[in-house]
Amino acid sequence: MSRTLTTVGFDADDTLWHNERFFRITQDRFAELLADYTHKDHLEERLLEAERRNIGHYGFGIKGFVLSMIETAIEVTEEQVPASVIAELMAAGRDMLQHPIELLPHAREAVEALAGSHRIVLITKGDLLDQERKLAQSGLGDLFDGVEIVSNKTPDIYRTIFDRHGDGPDRAMMVGNSMRSDVVPAIEAGGWGVYVPHGLVWALEHAEAPNDAPRFAELESLAGLADLVNDIG
């Protein structure tokens, strides 16, 4: 009997391993460094505006985040930001790029459970070198049949990936913690979108849940993924 699902895509950051919490720690340090110039809430608003503007230029990831912090620091201090602050922000970015990988609960078990019966693809966006580093350190690399590091996640990109690595999006599933990037566009492409909430979500990744979509599912954790896939068939 042929399977309904033949391919399962996994997001990486905050689906398989921790990521957003390191951004939050750095952002708190950013607020401390600029405390003499502006309130934390206002600084966060300005930083988010800069990130939104800069995604098209720098893409997703740590390097774009650091450049947006520097740009925001220049703006809120009216070009008076000390060079020492810029140096600290750059150092914080380097620390983030070197931070050890910590797998989320059930991540390895979920991937291993499906690796023998389905094509497993890692689909992540962000800086190429950083994502390659994290995958290598995760110890999960050998479990994936394919790895796709993309500049953005759209329905067309999911169609292309699931055509390349599987039997098309209608026989594929995407699993992730971002409603905007992992779930909604995968469903719009014709596949399943499975939301696994992480708790910490970047503001630019928020989106409404497609609760009326027949191919939408939500799990409390990756522990329930294998059962969901088996139920679908």
Side-chain angles (χ1 to χ4, degrees):
M1 181 184 301
S2 63
R3 288 182 173 273
T4 300
L5 284 176
T6 61
T7 308
V8 179
F10 284 89
D11 173 52
D13 293 337
D14 294 319
T15 297
L16 297 178
W17 51 70
H18 287 286
N19 180 66
E20 179 63 20
R21 71 182 185 186
F22 305 123
F23 283 80
R24 299 295 177 92
I25 292 170
T26 302
Q27 194 162 317
D28 287 343
R29 179 56 179 153
F30 181 45
E32 293 174 3
L33 291 169
L34 275 296
D36 291 340
Y37 298 92
T38 187
H39 191 272
K40 181 180 180 181
D41 290 343
H42 180 249
L43 184 67
E44 290 179 350
E45 291 175 4
R46 296 290 293 273
L47 175 58
L48 188 61
E49 291 172 3
E51 291 181 289
R52 185 179 285 110
R53 289 195 307 268
N54 290 333
I55 284 177
H57 300 293
Y58 307 140
F60 296 88
I62 293 170
K63 294 175 184 176
F65 175 61
V66 172
L67 288 170
S68 292
M69 284 194 297
I70 292 172
E71 180 180 312
T72 302
I74 293 170
E75 291 177 350
V76 300
T77 64
E78 298 180 347
E79 302 183 359
Q80 300 302 307
V81 58
S84 60
V85 171
I86 301 297
E88 284 210 43
L89 295 176
M90 294 176 66
R94 287 191 294 271
D95 288 344
M96 292 176 71
L97 288 167
Q98 297 170 1
H99 205 284
I101 293 304
E102 181 183 348
L103 292 180
L104 284 161
H106 313 295
R108 174 174 290 279
E109 295 88 342
V111 178
E112 287 179 339
L114 299 175
S117 56
H118 294 74
R119 299 185 189 94
I120 306 299
V121 185
L122 185 74
I123 307 173
T124 182
K125 63 185 180 184
D127 181 78
L128 175 64
L129 294 178
D130 188 38
Q131 294 298 333
E132 289 179 337
R133 173 190 69 85
K134 289 188 282 192
L135 178 59
Q137 290 186 7
S138 73
L140 301 177
D142 291 341
L143 297 173
F144 291 101
D145 298 297
V147 175
E148 296 281 350
I149 301 173
V150 299
S151 59
N152 205 351
K153 292 177 177 177
T154 66
D156 283 343
I157 286 176
Y158 280 121
R159 290 186 192 100
T160 298
I161 290 173
F162 289 133
D163 282 341
R164 179 185 301 131
H165 294 285
D167 302 302
D170 59 321
R171 301 184 70 184
M173 169 186 286
M174 182 63 190
V175 182
N177 74 298
S178 171
M179 201 71 75
R180 180 179 295 276
S181 293
D182 303 320
V183 176
V184 173
I187 292 174
E188 290 177 350
W192 283 82
V194 178
Y195 179 57
V196 185
H198 174 263
L200 296 176
V201 181
W202 185 33
L204 298 185
E205 291 292 352
H206 284 290
E208 292 297 320
N211 291 312
D212 295 333
R215 289 191 163 201
F216 169 65
E218 180 172 346
L219 298 173
E220 290 185 1
S221 75
L222 289 172
L225 182 62
D227 287 341
L228 174 63
V229 170
N230 288 333
D231 288 344
I232 293 171

